[in-house]
Amino acid sequence: VKELVLDNCRSDDGKIVGLSSDFENLEFLSMINVNLLSVSNLPKLNKLRKLELSDNRISGGLEVLAERTPNLTHLNLSGNKIKDINTLEPL
């Protein structure tokens, strides 16, 4: 699987569930409006290039993205609860 779109699939606990490092060839992942609070349990996805996370409730913890998605070139965080530009510093 190279592209996975999970838009509008609600997350009950605010976390990413069911996505594992088995998706090693994933290049595009879209999780728009899924009620995410955190990306803390995002698996390592070495080939991921584009990540859509708009319209969630993420407010921080973005250092995980830098660690687990080393080839990320496009990231959409619009419509989240990020209040301070310094939150983006780990990226």
Side-chain angles (χ1 to χ4, degrees), residues 16 28-40 42 48-66 69 72-91:
I16 301 164
F28 172 77
L29 176 59
S30 183
M31 293 185 290
I32 297 172
N33 190 32
V34 298
N35 205 31
L36 286 181
L37 295 169
S38 168
V39 291
S40 63
L42 183 74
L48 194 68
R49 295 192 176 280
K50 187 171 183 182
L51 181 58
E52 294 280 345
L53 294 172
S54 61
D55 299 323
N56 283 291
R57 301 181 328 175
I58 298 167
S59 60
L62 300 177
E63 60 278 350
V64 170
L65 295 178
T69 57
L72 197 64
T73 57
H74 294 83
L75 174 63
N76 185 350
L77 290 167
S78 62
N80 277 282
K81 304 227 178 226
I82 297 168
K83 293 182 177 160
D84 189 343
I85 194 76
N86 293 332
T87 304
L88 304 176
E89 193 174 324
L91 300 176

